[in-house]
Structures are given as C-alpha cells and as structure tokens.
Amino acid sequence: MASFRYRALSAAGAPISGEMEAASEAAVIQHLRGLGHYPISTSLSAREGWQRYFSREYLTRRRPSLRDLSVFIQELSTLLRAGLELDRALGIAGSLKETESLHQPLATIRARLRDGASFADALSSEPVFPRLYVNMVRAGEEAGKLDETFSFLADYLDRNYEITQKAKNALIYPAFIVC
C-alpha cells in the first residue's frame, strides 16, 4: 500500500485535505466518495516533513503573482460586462496562458460554484485570493453589480502593480550599492 495525498470538498462545501494509505488513487477516490466528499485531486505522497520542500512538485510549483491576478481579474471583468454567465466566464478566463498559475484554484472555485456556493464563498476557499478581493466580491454579489465590482478591482490591481513595480525599480540601485 502507498500513501496518497488528497484534496476534496465536504458535502457542506468545506475544503478538506489529508493523507491516507490505499492500494491506488481509485481506491482513495472511492473511499472519499463513500464518506460523502467530492474529490478534487489525489497524488502519491512525496516525502514527509522537511524533505517535501525539496520535492520536484514543491520546487516547480508557481504561485500566482500580482500580475497574474491582475490579468485574471481584468479578463473576468470584460467577460462579465459582455454578458457571459459567471461559470463560463471563469472557464474562459482561467484557460488563458497568462493565468496558468491559477488553473487549479479556478477549477476548485468552479466546482464549488456548481455545488451551489456563492462566488465569494468559493473564492474564500482558495488562499490565492486575498480577503480584500473576497469581501469586495461579496459586496458586489449582494448589490447585484458583480461586473462593476470586477471592473473597479481590475483598476485597483493595475494601480497596485504599477506602484509595486516603481518601488522595486527605485530600490534596485541602492541595493546594488549596498552589495
């Protein structure tokens, strides 16, 4: 028997993850479904403890940058203003090459939406999205102006990205001198 890591959603929609011993990935999926959970992903458990930080999966995993989030929010805003439904807009915006680092979180969010969760609750289940974004989406959902909320959020992210880049560029020369 091998050790497998899994990620799933409970019947209530809460994300769960863990490890279990099983003969195969299919056995893990079958066990999770038997408990009433919705499996998202399973994988062979790499190493334990500190050794997992040297695994290929951990070292090659790419966290979404501020620019990735900005591009995603801009595209989603444009698609929602064009009149597409949220699930389809998420699918299109998430399949772009520029948002490659968001593919897995967006698949989880779409699964939660299909299970009946609100968009803000689905976003809050993924640590990729800051609480400010989640709370703005929640306010936009309650007001019925999700497309305007995403338009405002896209402008905010663009300004934030530009300021961050200017600050980084301004610190390059002093850092070079110090070194």
Side-chain angles (χ1 to χ4, degrees):
M1 291 188 117
S3 179
F4 290 92
R5 287 179 181 243
Y6 65 86
R7 288 183 47 205
L9 294 175
S10 68
I16 56 172
S17 61
E19 287 191 30
M20 75 170 51
E21 295 283 327
S24 66
E25 285 187 34
V28 173
I29 292 171
Q30 184 178 12
H31 178 73
L32 290 171
R33 286 186 178 153
L35 294 174
H37 301 313
Y38 301 100
I40 296 171
S41 67
T42 60
S43 63
L44 208 58
S45 181
R47 296 179 178 98
E48 298 298 322
W50 62 272
Q51 293 177 343
R52 70 184 162 138
Y53 295 113
F54 295 105
S55 69
R56 179 174 298 208
E57 295 83 21
Y58 185 82
L59 294 173
T60 59
R61 180 180 61 189
R62 185 170 165 243
R63 301 281 302 169
S65 67
L66 184 61
R67 188 69 189 152
D68 293 343
L69 287 173
S70 177
V71 167
F72 166 70
I73 296 293
Q74 287 175 347
E75 293 299 324
L76 190 60
S77 171
T78 303
L79 292 169
L80 289 175
R81 275 185 284 149
L84 266 68
E85 63 272 359
L86 183 59
D87 185 44
R88 187 163 181 207
L90 278 173
I92 293 170
S95 66
L96 298 173
K97 180 154 178 51
E98 294 86 8
T99 61
E100 192 172 0
S101 61
L102 292 169
H103 285 227
Q104 181 60 36
L106 290 178
T108 306
I109 289 168
R110 287 182 72 194
R112 292 210 55 205
L113 281 174
R114 290 178 183 151
D115 288 338
S118 71
F119 188 41
D121 291 337
L123 280 179
S124 67
S125 69
E126 288 296 320
V128 171
F129 297 97
R131 290 182 59 170
L132 172 68
Y133 305 173
V134 173
N135 290 333
M136 286 181 69
V137 168
R138 189 177 317 276
E141 273 184 321
E142 290 176 6
K145 299 185 183 231
L146 198 56
D147 56 342
E148 292 176 23
T149 302
F150 275 110
S151 179
F152 177 78
L153 190 55
D155 292 340
Y156 168 77
L157 285 172
D158 274 343
R159 285 190 307 257
N160 192 6
Y161 179 74
E162 288 174 12
I163 290 170
T164 303
Q165 288 303 109
K166 285 180 182 179
K168 284 180 184 177
N169 290 339
L171 292 174
I172 288 174
Y173 182 71
F176 179 73
I177 296 298
V178 168
C179 290

PDB file of all heavy atoms in Angstrom, residues 76-106:
ATOM      1  N   LEU A  76     -11.857  38.593 -16.470  1.00  0.00           N
ATOM      2  CA  LEU A  76     -13.149  38.227 -15.900  1.00  0.00           C
ATOM      3  C   LEU A  76     -14.103  39.416 -15.928  1.00  0.00           C
ATOM      4  O   LEU A  76     -15.284  39.261 -16.247  1.00  0.00           O
ATOM      5  CB  LEU A  76     -12.969  37.710 -14.469  1.00  0.00           C
ATOM      6  CG  LEU A  76     -14.187  37.081 -13.828  1.00  0.00           C
ATOM      7  CD1 LEU A  76     -14.670  35.873 -14.624  1.00  0.00           C
ATOM      8  CD2 LEU A  76     -13.865  36.651 -12.403  1.00  0.00           C
ATOM      9  N   SER A  77     -13.596  40.596 -15.641  1.00  0.00           N
ATOM     10  CA  SER A  77     -14.411  41.804 -15.697  1.00  0.00           C
ATOM     11  C   SER A  77     -14.957  42.034 -17.111  1.00  0.00           C
ATOM     12  O   SER A  77     -16.143  42.314 -17.295  1.00  0.00           O
ATOM     13  CB  SER A  77     -13.575  43.007 -15.260  1.00  0.00           C
ATOM     14  OG  SER A  77     -14.256  44.204 -15.498  1.00  0.00           O
ATOM     15  N   THR A  78     -14.098  41.892 -18.102  1.00  0.00           N
ATOM     16  CA  THR A  78     -14.508  42.085 -19.502  1.00  0.00           C
ATOM     17  C   THR A  78     -15.562  41.066 -19.906  1.00  0.00           C
ATOM     18  O   THR A  78     -16.561  41.409 -20.550  1.00  0.00           O
ATOM     19  CB  THR A  78     -13.283  41.978 -20.430  1.00  0.00           C
ATOM     20  OG1 THR A  78     -12.311  42.937 -20.025  1.00  0.00           O
ATOM     21  CG2 THR A  78     -13.665  42.211 -21.873  1.00  0.00           C
ATOM     22  N   LEU A  79     -15.357  39.824 -19.529  1.00  0.00           N
ATOM     23  CA  LEU A  79     -16.313  38.768 -19.894  1.00  0.00           C
ATOM     24  C   LEU A  79     -17.661  38.958 -19.206  1.00  0.00           C
ATOM     25  O   LEU A  79     -18.712  38.723 -19.820  1.00  0.00           O
ATOM     26  CB  LEU A  79     -15.726  37.397 -19.557  1.00  0.00           C
ATOM     27  CG  LEU A  79     -14.518  36.983 -20.405  1.00  0.00           C
ATOM     28  CD1 LEU A  79     -13.857  35.741 -19.821  1.00  0.00           C
ATOM     29  CD2 LEU A  79     -14.934  36.740 -21.842  1.00  0.00           C
ATOM     30  N   LEU A  80     -17.652  39.385 -17.960  1.00  0.00           N
ATOM     31  CA  LEU A  80     -18.921  39.617 -17.263  1.00  0.00           C
ATOM     32  C   LEU A  80     -19.660  40.817 -17.834  1.00  0.00           C
ATOM     33  O   LEU A  80     -20.884  40.803 -17.951  1.00  0.00           O
ATOM     34  CB  LEU A  80     -18.673  39.804 -15.758  1.00  0.00           C
ATOM     35  CG  LEU A  80     -18.254  38.553 -14.993  1.00  0.00           C
ATOM     36  CD1 LEU A  80     -17.928  38.887 -13.555  1.00  0.00           C
ATOM     37  CD2 LEU A  80     -19.337  37.480 -15.063  1.00  0.00           C
ATOM     38  N   ARG A  81     -18.913  41.876 -18.203  1.00  0.00           N
ATOM     39  CA  ARG A  81     -19.558  43.032 -18.824  1.00  0.00           C
ATOM     40  C   ARG A  81     -20.139  42.675 -20.187  1.00  0.00           C
ATOM     41  O   ARG A  81     -21.091  43.299 -20.641  1.00  0.00           O
ATOM     42  CB  ARG A  81     -18.571  44.186 -18.963  1.00  0.00           C
ATOM     43  CG  ARG A  81     -18.481  45.017 -17.697  1.00  0.00           C
ATOM     44  CD  ARG A  81     -17.605  46.216 -17.879  1.00  0.00           C
ATOM     45  NE  ARG A  81     -16.228  45.711 -17.851  1.00  0.00           N
ATOM     46  CZ  ARG A  81     -15.222  46.241 -18.516  1.00  0.00           C
ATOM     47  NH1 ARG A  81     -15.399  47.284 -19.268  1.00  0.00           N
ATOM     48  NH2 ARG A  81     -14.018  45.729 -18.440  1.00  0.00           N
ATOM     49  N   ALA A  82     -19.555  41.661 -20.849  1.00  0.00           N
ATOM     50  CA  ALA A  82     -20.059  41.226 -22.156  1.00  0.00           C
ATOM     51  C   ALA A  82     -21.318  40.382 -22.022  1.00  0.00           C
ATOM     52  O   ALA A  82     -21.940  40.044 -23.027  1.00  0.00           O
ATOM     53  CB  ALA A  82     -18.987  40.447 -22.896  1.00  0.00           C
ATOM     54  N   GLY A  83     -21.684  40.010 -20.807  1.00  0.00           N
ATOM     55  CA  GLY A  83     -22.929  39.297 -20.592  1.00  0.00           C
ATOM     56  C   GLY A  83     -22.804  37.800 -20.404  1.00  0.00           C
ATOM     57  O   GLY A  83     -23.809  37.103 -20.352  1.00  0.00           O
ATOM     58  N   LEU A  84     -21.596  37.281 -20.288  1.00  0.00           N
ATOM     59  CA  LEU A  84     -21.433  35.843 -20.065  1.00  0.00           C
ATOM     60  C   LEU A  84     -21.790  35.493 -18.630  1.00  0.00           C
ATOM     61  O   LEU A  84     -21.619  36.304 -17.720  1.00  0.00           O
ATOM     62  CB  LEU A  84     -19.982  35.416 -20.323  1.00  0.00           C
ATOM     63  CG  LEU A  84     -19.672  34.909 -21.732  1.00  0.00           C
ATOM     64  CD1 LEU A  84     -19.768  36.032 -22.718  1.00  0.00           C
ATOM     65  CD2 LEU A  84     -18.329  34.252 -21.753  1.00  0.00           C
ATOM     66  N   GLU A  85     -22.297  34.282 -18.446  1.00  0.00           N
ATOM     67  CA  GLU A  85     -22.585  33.829 -17.082  1.00  0.00           C
ATOM     68  C   GLU A  85     -21.258  33.545 -16.371  1.00  0.00           C
ATOM     69  O   GLU A  85     -20.228  33.309 -17.003  1.00  0.00           O
ATOM     70  CB  GLU A  85     -23.497  32.607 -17.062  1.00  0.00           C
ATOM     71  CG  GLU A  85     -22.941  31.379 -17.708  1.00  0.00           C
ATOM     72  CD  GLU A  85     -23.221  31.287 -19.202  1.00  0.00           C
ATOM     73  OE1 GLU A  85     -23.861  32.165 -19.771  1.00  0.00           O
ATOM     74  OE2 GLU A  85     -22.743  30.301 -19.784  1.00  0.00           O
ATOM     75  N   LEU A  86     -21.296  33.571 -15.048  1.00  0.00           N
ATOM     76  CA  LEU A  86     -20.088  33.516 -14.238  1.00  0.00           C
ATOM     77  C   LEU A  86     -19.289  32.236 -14.459  1.00  0.00           C
ATOM     78  O   LEU A  86     -18.067  32.284 -14.616  1.00  0.00           O
ATOM     79  CB  LEU A  86     -20.452  33.654 -12.754  1.00  0.00           C
ATOM     80  CG  LEU A  86     -19.294  33.682 -11.781  1.00  0.00           C
ATOM     81  CD1 LEU A  86     -18.353  34.831 -12.085  1.00  0.00           C
ATOM     82  CD2 LEU A  86     -19.809  33.773 -10.360  1.00  0.00           C
ATOM     83  N   ASP A  87     -19.951  31.082 -14.513  1.00  0.00           N
ATOM     84  CA  ASP A  87     -19.242  29.812 -14.673  1.00  0.00           C
ATOM     85  C   ASP A  87     -18.473  29.779 -15.986  1.00  0.00           C
ATOM     86  O   ASP A  87     -17.303  29.396 -16.038  1.00  0.00           O
ATOM     87  CB  ASP A  87     -20.230  28.652 -14.581  1.00  0.00           C
ATOM     88  CG  ASP A  87     -19.533  27.304 -14.621  1.00  0.00           C
ATOM     89  OD1 ASP A  87     -18.501  27.153 -13.935  1.00  0.00           O
ATOM     90  OD2 ASP A  87     -20.014  26.406 -15.343  1.00  0.00           O
ATOM     91  N   ARG A  88     -19.113  30.202 -17.049  1.00  0.00           N
ATOM     92  CA  ARG A  88     -18.460  30.195 -18.358  1.00  0.00           C
ATOM     93  C   ARG A  88     -17.329  31.220 -18.419  1.00  0.00           C
ATOM     94  O   ARG A  88     -16.264  30.956 -18.973  1.00  0.00           O
ATOM     95  CB  ARG A  88     -19.484  30.466 -19.446  1.00  0.00           C
ATOM     96  CG  ARG A  88     -18.915  30.305 -20.819  1.00  0.00           C
ATOM     97  CD  ARG A  88     -19.979  30.166 -21.854  1.00  0.00           C
ATOM     98  NE  ARG A  88     -19.354  29.980 -23.149  1.00  0.00           N
ATOM     99  CZ  ARG A  88     -19.902  30.320 -24.274  1.00  0.00           C
ATOM    100  NH1 ARG A  88     -21.119  30.817 -24.277  1.00  0.00           N
ATOM    101  NH2 ARG A  88     -19.284  30.143 -25.403  1.00  0.00           N
ATOM    102  N   ALA A  89     -17.553  32.399 -17.822  1.00  0.00           N
ATOM    103  CA  ALA A  89     -16.518  33.429 -17.795  1.00  0.00           C
ATOM    104  C   ALA A  89     -15.295  32.951 -17.019  1.00  0.00           C
ATOM    105  O   ALA A  89     -14.156  33.191 -17.426  1.00  0.00           O
ATOM    106  CB  ALA A  89     -17.069  34.714 -17.187  1.00  0.00           C
ATOM    107  N   LEU A  90     -15.515  32.245 -15.910  1.00  0.00           N
ATOM    108  CA  LEU A  90     -14.399  31.688 -15.142  1.00  0.00           C
ATOM    109  C   LEU A  90     -13.632  30.665 -15.963  1.00  0.00           C
ATOM    110  O   LEU A  90     -12.405  30.607 -15.904  1.00  0.00           O
ATOM    111  CB  LEU A  90     -14.902  31.038 -13.854  1.00  0.00           C
ATOM    112  CG  LEU A  90     -15.173  31.960 -12.686  1.00  0.00           C
ATOM    113  CD1 LEU A  90     -15.835  31.178 -11.560  1.00  0.00           C
ATOM    114  CD2 LEU A  90     -13.910  32.608 -12.208  1.00  0.00           C
ATOM    115  N   GLY A  91     -14.358  29.842 -16.711  1.00  0.00           N
ATOM    116  CA  GLY A  91     -13.711  28.838 -17.551  1.00  0.00           C
ATOM    117  C   GLY A  91     -12.837  29.460 -18.621  1.00  0.00           C
ATOM    118  O   GLY A  91     -11.709  29.014 -18.865  1.00  0.00           O
ATOM    119  N   ILE A  92     -13.332  30.504 -19.254  1.00  0.00           N
ATOM    120  CA  ILE A  92     -12.576  31.168 -20.310  1.00  0.00           C
ATOM    121  C   ILE A  92     -11.376  31.912 -19.737  1.00  0.00           C
ATOM    122  O   ILE A  92     -10.248  31.773 -20.217  1.00  0.00           O
ATOM    123  CB  ILE A  92     -13.482  32.121 -21.113  1.00  0.00           C
ATOM    124  CG1 ILE A  92     -14.532  31.312 -21.890  1.00  0.00           C
ATOM    125  CG2 ILE A  92     -12.661  32.997 -22.052  1.00  0.00           C
ATOM    126  CD1 ILE A  92     -15.614  32.152 -22.524  1.00  0.00           C
ATOM    127  N   ALA A  93     -11.608  32.708 -18.689  1.00  0.00           N
ATOM    128  CA  ALA A  93     -10.513  33.484 -18.092  1.00  0.00           C
ATOM    129  C   ALA A  93      -9.464  32.564 -17.471  1.00  0.00           C
ATOM    130  O   ALA A  93      -8.276  32.881 -17.479  1.00  0.00           O
ATOM    131  CB  ALA A  93     -11.058  34.444 -17.043  1.00  0.00           C
ATOM    132  N   GLY A  94      -9.890  31.436 -16.961  1.00  0.00           N
ATOM    133  CA  GLY A  94      -8.950  30.512 -16.335  1.00  0.00           C
ATOM    134  C   GLY A  94      -8.159  29.676 -17.316  1.00  0.00           C
ATOM    135  O   GLY A  94      -7.147  29.092 -16.956  1.00  0.00           O
ATOM    136  N   SER A  95      -8.609  29.619 -18.561  1.00  0.00           N
ATOM    137  CA  SER A  95      -7.897  28.803 -19.548  1.00  0.00           C
ATOM    138  C   SER A  95      -6.836  29.589 -20.318  1.00  0.00           C
ATOM    139  O   SER A  95      -6.149  29.034 -21.159  1.00  0.00           O
ATOM    140  CB  SER A  95      -8.898  28.196 -20.530  1.00  0.00           C
ATOM    141  OG  SER A  95      -9.508  29.222 -21.291  1.00  0.00           O
ATOM    142  N   LEU A  96      -6.690  30.863 -20.013  1.00  0.00           N
ATOM    143  CA  LEU A  96      -5.690  31.673 -20.693  1.00  0.00           C
ATOM    144  C   LEU A  96      -4.278  31.290 -20.258  1.00  0.00           C
ATOM    145  O   LEU A  96      -4.058  30.882 -19.124  1.00  0.00           O
ATOM    146  CB  LEU A  96      -5.916  33.159 -20.384  1.00  0.00           C
ATOM    147  CG  LEU A  96      -7.240  33.752 -20.844  1.00  0.00           C
ATOM    148  CD1 LEU A  96      -7.380  35.169 -20.313  1.00  0.00           C
ATOM    149  CD2 LEU A  96      -7.328  33.742 -22.347  1.00  0.00           C
ATOM    150  N   LYS A  97      -3.346  31.428 -21.159  1.00  0.00           N
ATOM    151  CA  LYS A  97      -1.947  31.107 -20.840  1.00  0.00           C
ATOM    152  C   LYS A  97      -1.401  32.037 -19.759  1.00  0.00           C
ATOM    153  O   LYS A  97      -0.604  31.626 -18.931  1.00  0.00           O
ATOM    154  CB  LYS A  97      -1.091  31.204 -22.092  1.00  0.00           C
ATOM    155  CG  LYS A  97       0.361  30.893 -21.834  1.00  0.00           C
ATOM    156  CD  LYS A  97       1.034  30.396 -23.061  1.00  0.00           C
ATOM    157  CE  LYS A  97       2.486  30.118 -22.872  1.00  0.00           C
ATOM    158  NZ  LYS A  97       2.852  29.293 -21.776  1.00  0.00           N
ATOM    159  N   GLU A  98      -1.850  33.296 -19.751  1.00  0.00           N
ATOM    160  CA  GLU A  98      -1.370  34.265 -18.770  1.00  0.00           C
ATOM    161  C   GLU A  98      -1.802  33.907 -17.350  1.00  0.00           C
ATOM    162  O   GLU A  98      -1.202  34.350 -16.387  1.00  0.00           O
ATOM    163  CB  GLU A  98      -1.874  35.675 -19.093  1.00  0.00           C
ATOM    164  CG  GLU A  98      -1.312  36.244 -20.371  1.00  0.00           C
ATOM    165  CD  GLU A  98      -2.108  35.838 -21.601  1.00  0.00           C
ATOM    166  OE1 GLU A  98      -3.188  35.238 -21.453  1.00  0.00           O
ATOM    167  OE2 GLU A  98      -1.634  36.104 -22.714  1.00  0.00           O
ATOM    168  N   THR A  99      -2.864  33.120 -17.221  1.00  0.00           N
ATOM    169  CA  THR A  99      -3.375  32.760 -15.894  1.00  0.00           C
ATOM    170  C   THR A  99      -3.103  31.299 -15.574  1.00  0.00           C
ATOM    171  O   THR A  99      -3.856  30.688 -14.810  1.00  0.00           O
ATOM    172  CB  THR A  99      -4.887  33.053 -15.807  1.00  0.00           C
ATOM    173  OG1 THR A  99      -5.560  32.271 -16.789  1.00  0.00           O
ATOM    174  CG2 THR A  99      -5.182  34.517 -16.008  1.00  0.00           C
ATOM    175  N   GLU A 100      -2.036  30.763 -16.112  1.00  0.00           N
ATOM    176  CA  GLU A 100      -1.724  29.344 -15.940  1.00  0.00           C
ATOM    177  C   GLU A 100      -1.548  28.961 -14.468  1.00  0.00           C
ATOM    178  O   GLU A 100      -1.921  27.869 -14.050  1.00  0.00           O
ATOM    179  CB  GLU A 100      -0.472  29.004 -16.733  1.00  0.00           C
ATOM    180  CG  GLU A 100      -0.213  27.540 -16.855  1.00  0.00           C
ATOM    181  CD  GLU A 100       0.933  27.251 -17.816  1.00  0.00           C
ATOM    182  OE1 GLU A 100       1.515  28.189 -18.387  1.00  0.00           O
ATOM    183  OE2 GLU A 100       1.229  26.058 -17.988  1.00  0.00           O
ATOM    184  N   SER A 101      -1.004  29.857 -13.667  1.00  0.00           N
ATOM    185  CA  SER A 101      -0.790  29.549 -12.256  1.00  0.00           C
ATOM    186  C   SER A 101      -2.091  29.514 -11.469  1.00  0.00           C
ATOM    187  O   SER A 101      -2.108  29.075 -10.322  1.00  0.00           O
ATOM    188  CB  SER A 101       0.163  30.568 -11.630  1.00  0.00           C
ATOM    189  OG  SER A 101      -0.390  31.866 -11.722  1.00  0.00           O
ATOM    190  N   LEU A 102      -3.189  29.943 -12.072  1.00  0.00           N
ATOM    191  CA  LEU A 102      -4.496  29.940 -11.398  1.00  0.00           C
ATOM    192  C   LEU A 102      -5.394  28.799 -11.856  1.00  0.00           C
ATOM    193  O   LEU A 102      -6.535  28.714 -11.409  1.00  0.00           O
ATOM    194  CB  LEU A 102      -5.209  31.275 -11.646  1.00  0.00           C
ATOM    195  CG  LEU A 102      -4.598  32.499 -11.001  1.00  0.00           C
ATOM    196  CD1 LEU A 102      -5.240  33.755 -11.543  1.00  0.00           C
ATOM    197  CD2 LEU A 102      -4.759  32.433  -9.509  1.00  0.00           C
ATOM    198  N   HIS A 103      -4.929  27.922 -12.722  1.00  0.00           N
ATOM    199  CA  HIS A 103      -5.780  26.864 -13.269  1.00  0.00           C
ATOM    200  C   HIS A 103      -6.381  25.986 -12.167  1.00  0.00           C
ATOM    201  O   HIS A 103      -7.582  25.740 -12.155  1.00  0.00           O
ATOM    202  CB  HIS A 103      -5.013  26.011 -14.267  1.00  0.00           C
ATOM    203  CG  HIS A 103      -4.808  26.687 -15.581  1.00  0.00           C
ATOM    204  ND1 HIS A 103      -5.048  26.069 -16.773  1.00  0.00           N
ATOM    205  CD2 HIS A 103      -4.379  27.930 -15.894  1.00  0.00           C
ATOM    206  CE1 HIS A 103      -4.788  26.900 -17.764  1.00  0.00           C
ATOM    207  NE2 HIS A 103      -4.366  28.032 -17.242  1.00  0.00           N
ATOM    208  N   GLN A 104      -5.557  25.486 -11.264  1.00  0.00           N
ATOM    209  CA  GLN A 104      -6.056  24.587 -10.218  1.00  0.00           C
ATOM    210  C   GLN A 104      -7.004  25.302  -9.248  1.00  0.00           C
ATOM    211  O   GLN A 104      -8.093  24.790  -8.968  1.00  0.00           O
ATOM    212  CB  GLN A 104      -4.883  23.947  -9.457  1.00  0.00           C
ATOM    213  CG  GLN A 104      -5.311  22.984  -8.365  1.00  0.00           C
ATOM    214  CD  GLN A 104      -6.137  21.821  -8.894  1.00  0.00           C
ATOM    215  OE1 GLN A 104      -5.888  21.331  -9.981  1.00  0.00           O
ATOM    216  NE2 GLN A 104      -7.121  21.399  -8.131  1.00  0.00           N
ATOM    217  N   PRO A 105      -6.655  26.491  -8.728  1.00  0.00           N
ATOM    218  CA  PRO A 105      -7.607  27.171  -7.847  1.00  0.00           C
ATOM    219  C   PRO A 105      -8.928  27.493  -8.536  1.00  0.00           C
ATOM    220  O   PRO A 105      -9.997  27.376  -7.926  1.00  0.00           O
ATOM    221  CB  PRO A 105      -6.877  28.453  -7.438  1.00  0.00           C
ATOM    222  CG  PRO A 105      -5.443  28.158  -7.625  1.00  0.00           C
ATOM    223  CD  PRO A 105      -5.369  27.178  -8.751  1.00  0.00           C
ATOM    224  N   LEU A 106      -8.877  27.864  -9.810  1.00  0.00           N
ATOM    225  CA  LEU A 106     -10.114  28.196 -10.522  1.00  0.00           C
ATOM    226  C   LEU A 106     -10.968  26.963 -10.775  1.00  0.00           C
ATOM    227  O   LEU A 106     -12.201  27.047 -10.764  1.00  0.00           O
ATOM    228  CB  LEU A 106      -9.803  28.912 -11.829  1.00  0.00           C
ATOM    229  CG  LEU A 106      -9.248  30.323 -11.667  1.00  0.00           C
ATOM    230  CD1 LEU A 106      -8.915  30.929 -13.016  1.00  0.00           C
ATOM    231  CD2 LEU A 106     -10.220  31.202 -10.913  1.00  0.00           C
TER     232      LEU A 106
END
